[in-house]
Amino acid sequence: MKTKKTLAPLLIGTVSLLASSIALAAYPEKPITLVVPWGAGGGTDTTARIIAKALSSELDVPVNVVNRTGGQGVIGHSAIAKAKPDGYTLGLITGEITMMHWAGLTDLSYKDYTPLGKFTGVIGGVEVKTDSKFKDISMLVDYIKKNPGKLTASGGGYGSVWQLNLAGFLSSVGLSLDSVRWVPSEGSASALQELVAGGVDFTTTSINESDAMIRAGEVRGLAVMADGRSNWFPNVPTVKETVSSSWQSGSWNGLAGPAGLPSDVVEKLLPIVEKIQNSSEIEKFVSQRRLTLFPVTGSVWHQELESLDAAMGKTMKTAGLAK
């Protein structure tokens, strides 16, 4: 009888440990949803679909991309942050998450997520239709100075990274934000479509995301907001070269889950994320899309987000976009 009492706790402990091991190995047991806060066809959406395909292959479950647009990125980012932290809802957060709370659009910030891995990024630019009368950025700036409020621009929603791109650039050349009328859109792809259709005079989205339309002869890049010219677009000058502007901008995206993602889920996903970042598929995709790859993961990316959030707040206050 004494032996049975002695063995009972050991047996219970063994069963509990076995059950725990099975639970740890079980993730994922069902399909995963990958939320994209922006519309189909843009850089974030296409990056998400590459990641989804790779995740599905590695985890052996379907990974379904869902575009949750609206609210200038707030709706999709909220869907990721407010999902149950069990690993079955992930998403691609974008640079807007370091901006939206400064603009008073939401209380969400990088603190509401479990960062898994940063993926692709782009540099800001100014684009016009190929047949635009503005042949270079100097002509565009001169026209805005003489005709404040007459031209329209787009690139994303109110408070988006591409509206900040416009605001920062205008400020750098002595112009106010209201000197150009902003037309909100669901993202870069729709803004560029509106440009080609004649709905806006220029866009301040990334030169990278304009690549297909540039090669198709529909869009022309006037300038890029970077230290040096893009390797992908060497014929497009920087704003520093042309109008002596020191303004720089860009955007990025990365895989994240809601805050509080279980450690076993994170431990399973991080090596997969690193594998995707170093895969030939993502390298080929980055090259085809003229993007920049940022192989940053986990805690390192979290620290980067913290620094970027503080810097973005300072920039937005200077541009008059913070509330």
Side-chain angles (χ1 to χ4, degrees):
M1 196 69 172
K2 185 176 180 181
T3 303
K4 288 183 179 179
K5 287 183 179 179
T6 303
L7 290 175
L10 292 174
L11 182 60
I12 292 171
T14 302
V15 171
S16 298
L17 182 61
L18 180 61
S20 175
S21 298
I22 292 172
L24 181 64
Y27 174 81
E29 298 178 302
K30 59 183 181 180
I32 295 170
T33 296
L34 185 60
V35 178
V36 178
W38 305 104
T44 300
D45 176 73
T46 49
T47 301
R49 294 179 190 278
I50 293 288
I51 294 170
K53 182 179 179 182
L55 283 175
S56 180
S57 176
E58 291 290 331
L59 297 171
D60 200 28
V61 295
V63 178
N64 305 308
V65 175
V66 177
N67 297 89
R68 294 291 302 276
T69 62
Q72 302 158 50
V74 173
I75 290 176
H77 281 94
S78 294
I80 303 166
K82 295 179 180 179
K84 185 178 179 180
D86 56 7
Y88 289 102
T89 299
L90 304 173
L92 252 68
I93 61 174
T94 62
E96 278 78 7
I97 202 59
T98 63
M99 301 169 53
M100 295 186 293
H101 65 102
W102 292 110
L105 299 174
T106 179
D107 292 330
L108 289 174
S109 76
Y110 71 95
K111 298 176 183 178
D112 295 295
Y113 302 91
T114 300
L116 295 169
K118 190 177 181 182
F119 272 87
T120 62
V122 293
I123 59 174
V126 174
E127 304 84 26
V128 294
K129 286 181 66 175
T130 302
D131 60 0
S132 171
K133 64 183 178 182
F134 303 114
K135 304 306 178 185
D136 56 48
I137 196 69
S138 297
M139 290 180 66
L140 180 66
V141 170
D142 288 342
Y143 186 90
I144 295 171
K145 287 181 177 180
K146 296 174 183 176
N147 303 275
K150 188 170 182 179
L151 296 184
T152 56
S154 188
Y158 287 113
S160 68
V161 66
W162 300 132
Q163 187 186 24
L164 179 61
N165 185 31
L166 174 64
F169 173 63
L170 291 175
S171 177
S172 73
V173 292
L175 292 166
S176 63
L177 180 58
D178 60 7
S179 61
V180 173
R181 289 181 289 128
W182 185 254
V183 178
S185 68
E186 292 297 342
S188 298
S190 56
L192 287 163
Q193 289 167 5
E194 189 69 13
L195 174 66
V196 172
V200 293
D201 297 298
F202 65 98
T203 54
T204 52
T205 182
S206 70
I207 191 75
N208 311 71
E209 289 176 304
S210 310
D211 178 59
M213 289 185 173
I214 290 175
R215 286 190 282 178
E218 298 176 311
V219 169
R220 179 161 44 85
L222 290 188
V224 293
M225 281 68 172
D227 252 345
R229 296 191 181 196
S230 166
N231 291 335
W232 304 118
F233 307 94
N235 295 325
V236 180
T238 67
V239 289
K240 187 175 183 179
E241 289 178 66
T242 48
V243 288
S244 299
S245 168
S246 59
W247 175 250
Q248 296 180 38
S249 72
S251 184
W252 51 263
N253 56 57
L255 185 67
L261 210 57
S263 59
D264 60 292
V265 173
V266 174
E267 288 168 7
K268 185 158 190 176
L269 289 174
L270 281 181
I272 295 174
V273 167
E274 292 177 0
K275 185 176 181 180
I276 298 171
Q277 289 173 331
N278 292 287
S279 67
S280 58
E281 288 81 6
I282 200 74
E283 288 181 6
K284 181 179 178 182
F285 169 71
V286 165
S287 178
Q288 289 175 336
R289 287 275 177 165
R290 308 291 199 265
L291 303 174
T292 299
L293 181 64
F294 300 106
V296 183
T297 59
S299 60
V300 176
W301 188 28
H302 185 275
Q303 293 172 1
E304 183 181 305
L305 285 169
E306 184 178 14
S307 298
L308 182 60
D309 187 86
M312 192 62 73
K314 183 178 180 180
T315 301
M316 289 184 69
K317 288 175 183 176
T318 301
L321 288 175
K323 292 185 179 179

